Amino acid sequence: MNLANLTTSEIIEGIYSNNVAIVSKAITLVESTKPEHRLIANDIIAACISRKNDAIRIGITGVPGAGKSTFIEQFGNLLTNLGKKVAVLTVDPSSRRTKGSILGDKTRMQELVKNPNAYIRPSSSGTSLGGVTRKTRESIVILEAAGFDSILIETIGVGQSETAVHDMVDFFLLLKLAGAGDELQGIKRGIIEMADAIAITKADGDNVRRANFAKMEFTRALHMFPPKENGWSPEVLTCSAIENKGLTDIWELIDSYCKNMKATGYFDSHRQQQNENWLIQYVEQELLSEFYRHPKTKELLPQLKKEVINGKSSPFLAAEKLLKALKST
């Protein structure tokens, strides 16, 4: 099968039949910035989004060193043992200088990558803020259409990635490392307010006592926050991916959360709100792309940049000139 010569219809059928090679090609088309690829990608997404799927989308974040890759590998294996089809979307940070990424998650998840019921897709963050690719949502839609019922999305763990991922998942899991001097970070509002659960990782060996202490500290911190709008009270758990301890408890908590949210109607309303946000974000992205593609702005931008740099024009005045040029057509 020559993937390069597949028609759009053949790609869609390949996705529906869970052909992993074709799924990968479809995600590559979605991530491409070439206009001809974008047209094909739009047709693929339109076909995939209409297929109903009961997949659970789980966002997983944590600071570097918290053991995200090890956790995801063991957690993914647990889910496949339960009969789930697991897809993992990981985002590697891009170099600002070379624009390249290492994309090493498949290397770090050597067991899961061999699992026939799992699929791992590393992507470069490119210029996206916070380390979430601009096309992560579309990738989720493709994977769900391919029959994956558990989608795990790993963030870099710094910057704005948490906010971006939170806006596209059903459950948001924060991994924390005990004994790293960041227990008191639990009282900071942003990330804790977004978390549906906190897991203290590496709770094994001599670190068990520190993990239990961190669990106590974060549990206290959570009591300082008002209840979530959906009525859910986040819990703190401990786990060890290496010793395969506590992972079942985490899955049972996620499963309980999703059943609870579906029963109350929040699960569906939250998905609807996410789709609305997706629409607005897509419009904003397209307007920005149109700005940079437009012949008049492309012509004026280098000149106005020089004027701003040399102090001959203010950034605000230069921006007004660019916007007027865009509106004049």
Side-chain angles (χ1 to χ4, degrees):
M1 178 178 60
N2 188 343
L3 292 176
N5 296 328
L6 291 177
T7 65
T8 303
S9 297
E10 288 172 333
I11 292 172
I12 293 169
E13 287 303 316
I15 293 170
Y16 290 171
S17 62
N18 193 236
N19 184 311
V20 173
I22 293 179
V23 167
S24 295
K25 177 180 175 62
I27 293 176
T28 298
L29 287 169
V30 159
E31 292 178 341
S32 174
T33 56
K34 293 183 178 180
E36 61 270 26
H37 289 170
R38 291 177 62 194
L39 291 174
I40 299 171
N42 286 342
D43 289 338
I44 292 171
I45 295 302
C48 289
I49 206 168
S50 62
R51 285 178 73 89
K52 297 298 181 183
N53 186 298
D54 291 329
I56 296 175
R57 306 167 185 174
I58 305 169
I60 300 174
T61 191
V63 296
K68 292 189 294 294
S69 295
T70 306
F71 174 86
I72 289 172
E73 177 169 52
Q74 295 304 324
F75 191 65
N77 283 327
L78 167 68
L79 294 181
T80 59
N81 289 337
L82 294 173
K84 306 288 185 182
K85 289 186 66 67
V86 178
V88 180
L89 292 173
T90 69
V91 184
D92 271 17
S94 298
S95 166
R96 286 181 175 271
R97 293 176 58 193
T98 66
K99 309 302 181 185
S101 290
I102 296 174
L103 301 178
D105 289 282
K106 283 192 172 184
T107 303
R108 292 193 292 268
M109 304 180 193
Q110 295 183 17
E111 287 184 31
L112 191 60
V113 77
K114 298 174 187 175
N115 192 317
N117 290 316
Y119 171 82
I120 302 174
R121 172 72 183 203
S123 299
S124 166
S125 63
T127 58
S128 297
L129 288 174
V132 179
T133 65
R134 193 169 63 90
K135 297 297 183 179
T136 300
R137 290 182 189 272
E138 287 90 332
S139 298
I140 292 171
V141 169
I142 290 171
L143 292 168
E144 290 179 347
F148 292 98
D149 53 27
S150 302
I151 315 292
L152 310 182
I153 305 161
E154 177 194 5
T155 76
I156 297 169
V158 292
Q160 296 178 351
S161 55
E162 287 74 30
T163 301
V165 167
H166 181 264
D167 200 34
M168 61 181 75
V169 299
D170 306 309
F171 190 94
F172 193 64
L173 178 64
L174 172 62
L175 304 184
K176 277 289 187 179
L177 185 63
D182 69 345
E183 281 82 1
L184 291 180
Q185 298 297 322
I187 63 174
K188 291 187 177 179
R189 300 192 68 88
I191 185 66
I192 301 297
E193 284 185 326
M194 288 187 289
D196 295 305
I198 298 173
I200 311 299
T201 61
K202 303 184 181 181
D204 44 54
D206 295 337
N207 207 38
V208 172
R209 183 182 61 81
R210 288 191 292 268
N212 288 330
F213 179 77
K215 176 182 177 180
M216 180 178 65
E217 289 292 297
F218 281 110
T219 300
R220 287 175 180 170
L222 287 174
H223 288 316
M224 299 173 64
F225 297 100
K228 289 177 173 285
E229 62 175 327
N230 57 11
W232 177 257
S233 297
E235 294 187 25
V236 184
L237 304 93
T238 61
C239 67
S240 169
I242 290 178
E243 295 185 353
N244 206 16
K245 293 180 179 178
L247 303 184
T248 299
D249 293 337
I250 292 173
W251 166 245
E252 289 177 352
L253 179 67
I254 295 172
D255 188 44
S256 173
Y257 170 91
C258 291
K259 287 177 179 177
N260 188 306
M261 294 303 110
K262 287 179 179 179
T264 62
Y266 179 82
F267 191 94
D268 289 335
S269 65
H270 185 55
R271 283 277 185 99
Q272 291 166 359
Q273 182 62 54
Q274 289 177 335
N275 286 339
E276 182 181 334
N277 294 341
W278 186 8
L279 166 65
I280 300 303
Q281 289 167 9
Y282 187 80
V283 169
E284 290 173 350
Q285 291 166 2
E286 288 304 298
L287 287 173
L288 190 60
S289 296
E290 177 62 25
F291 174 84
Y292 284 111
R293 287 197 305 262
H294 197 278
K296 285 193 175 182
T297 54
K298 285 174 71 174
E299 180 184 351
L300 278 174
L301 190 56
Q303 172 194 336
L304 291 172
K305 277 183 177 180
K306 288 180 181 179
E307 291 182 9
V308 170
I309 291 170
N310 295 326
K312 295 181 179 179
S313 175
S314 72
F316 314 106
L317 183 59
E320 286 295 329
K321 288 180 180 179
L322 287 166
L323 293 173
K324 284 180 180 178
L326 187 65
K327 293 175 183 176
S328 65
T329 56

